[in-house]
Amino acid sequence: MVSTWTIFRCRRCAGFVALLLAAACSGDEVGDDLAAAPAAGESSESAAPPAAAPAAARASASEAQAGSAARYYQGYLDEVLGGDFGSARDSYRAVVEDGSAAPEVAARAALRLAESEADAGRRHIALDLVARAAALGRDHRDLLQWAERLQRRLAAVRVHDIEVRGPPAGTPLEGVSAQAAELHARAEELLSAYHAHRLKPRLEDLGAGVRAKRAAMEAAERAYRQEAALGEPAATVAAELRIGGLYYDLSLSLTFDLPSELEPGAAAELRQSLRAQALADRNRARAAYLRALEAGRDGRAGPAGRIWIEAAELGLRSTEDLLRGRD
């Protein structure tokens, strides 16, 4: 894995520098807190009370960001110096899923995870991470360039396996009625049929490919809605998770390089249309994930629904990263 960062030969020195880098994330806030502190000899009562709460909040946020940064750099050291990518992956994943992490640090962690997933052939998961990194690191040119390189690499890969968020496609639904299990099995077949549609960014079949993929997605969505309509919590959680995943996957599929022979004006118009569609699909994905979590609230989906709920929680975080980043 290529990086422009210095690779330290001394593990102890590297760890020390990593801690300094982590602490640097909160340098400005610490300075603000010191400036806001009462001067020597001044009583705490004379300090302005309204400033205390914001200062405490800034300090708490600063500590949380420093902790995430330290976790990221520890993962980086495990990967580069120790050759232990298992531990590094755990650290990167924790940072990506930590809502208090600084956006730049979370973006770097997502990109390192994406490279690992790409190497393992898990293209859709890698695309997910790349898209999140681009949203989180939108103010950093080097991160955007890194994300673009990875996206182009992934676009050139042909994949035949079905990749979905949560349980694999075709996973039987447990703890539900026979009718719900049958509807779920049928919907899972349509899910696989949807993923069999591969978008090919060629001028002659671009529009037809997008329409065919969306039609396959809508067919699967209708089947899952029939499952959810039964009103069984476990079935509803699973169905809404799949619907969210369908819309989320389609939004990622619409981010590809347009054919070079397309006229610039037409390319700009098409690119704007695809982005608008992707945005709408991500909002639909977010709504579906929220419905899944609501259906499973307070344990109503039972033990069998736990894996579907956890997948919905991850899906919601991914979608919200893309919709607005972490401001």
Side-chain angles (χ1 to χ4, degrees):
M1 196 173 292
V2 179
S3 173
T4 57
W5 291 3
T6 303
I7 300 177
F8 296 96
R9 297 185 182 278
C10 171
R11 188 176 184 88
R12 180 177 298 175
C13 295
F16 178 69
V17 171
L19 291 175
L20 288 179
L21 288 171
C25 293
S26 58
D28 292 341
E29 289 83 352
V30 172
D32 291 342
D33 291 346
L34 289 176
E42 181 181 358
S43 67
S44 58
E45 288 80 1
S46 63
R58 285 199 303 272
S60 178
S62 173
E63 289 176 3
Q65 287 195 353
S68 294
R71 191 177 298 115
Y72 169 81
Y73 291 119
Q74 183 58 57
Y76 178 74
L77 292 175
D78 288 338
E79 175 188 354
V80 176
L81 296 181
D84 181 4
F85 195 76
S87 296
R89 184 187 293 109
D90 291 341
S91 295
Y92 295 151
R93 177 66 65 184
V95 173
V96 170
E97 302 303 340
D98 182 359
S100 66
E104 179 187 1
V105 175
R108 291 189 184 280
L111 288 169
R112 291 197 172 278
L113 275 176
E115 289 185 336
S116 170
E117 298 294 348
D119 291 340
R122 292 185 285 268
R123 179 174 176 272
H124 276 69
I125 297 175
L127 280 171
D128 176 353
L129 290 164
V130 168
R132 295 175 71 181
L136 294 168
R138 61 189 180 276
D139 296 327
H140 300 272
R141 183 176 178 80
D142 64 316
L143 295 178
L144 292 177
Q145 290 175 337
W146 185 357
E148 184 179 355
R149 287 194 302 272
L150 257 176
Q151 189 175 56
R152 287 179 177 175
R153 169 188 166 191
L154 291 164
V157 175
R158 294 182 62 85
V159 183
H160 300 288
D161 295 330
I162 301 300
E163 302 172 58
V164 298
R165 182 182 295 280
T171 299
L173 191 58
E174 300 177 355
V176 297
S177 67
Q179 183 182 8
E182 182 179 349
L183 288 174
H184 179 78
R186 173 55 182 156
E188 293 285 280
E189 292 177 2
L190 293 172
L191 173 69
S192 297
Y194 159 78
H195 280 283
H197 283 271
R198 305 291 180 186
L199 286 181
K200 301 174 183 178
R202 295 201 301 259
L203 186 58
E204 61 270 19
D205 59 6
L206 182 58
V210 171
R211 288 192 296 273
K213 192 168 182 67
R214 186 172 291 278
M217 187 275 296
E218 291 172 348
E221 179 189 11
R222 286 192 295 272
Y224 284 117
R225 290 205 181 283
Q226 289 180 351
E227 177 186 348
L230 295 177
E232 299 180 34
T236 300
V237 169
E240 294 292 1
L241 165 68
R242 291 302 202 212
I243 292 172
L246 284 163
Y247 276 111
Y248 187 84
D249 178 84
L250 187 59
S251 76
L252 291 180
S253 298
L254 296 177
T255 57
F256 52 76
D257 291 333
L258 296 178
S260 58
E261 63 268 27
L262 197 60
E263 191 270 331
E269 183 177 347
L270 179 56
R271 189 174 292 109
Q272 183 177 3
S273 174
L274 291 173
R275 285 175 178 170
Q277 292 179 51
L279 176 61
D281 289 336
R282 285 167 186 166
N283 276 307
R284 294 186 183 104
R286 180 179 184 275
Y289 287 137
L290 287 172
R291 291 194 299 269
L293 295 177
E294 175 60 25
R297 186 165 52 89
D298 300 330
R300 287 179 291 184
R306 188 64 246 169
I307 57 173
W308 303 90
I309 292 172
E310 290 173 354
E313 291 170 344
L314 291 174
L316 181 61
R317 284 198 290 270
S318 296
T319 305
E320 291 186 336
D321 275 349
L322 294 189
L323 285 173
R324 64 173 184 269
R326 292 193 187 120
D327 298 324

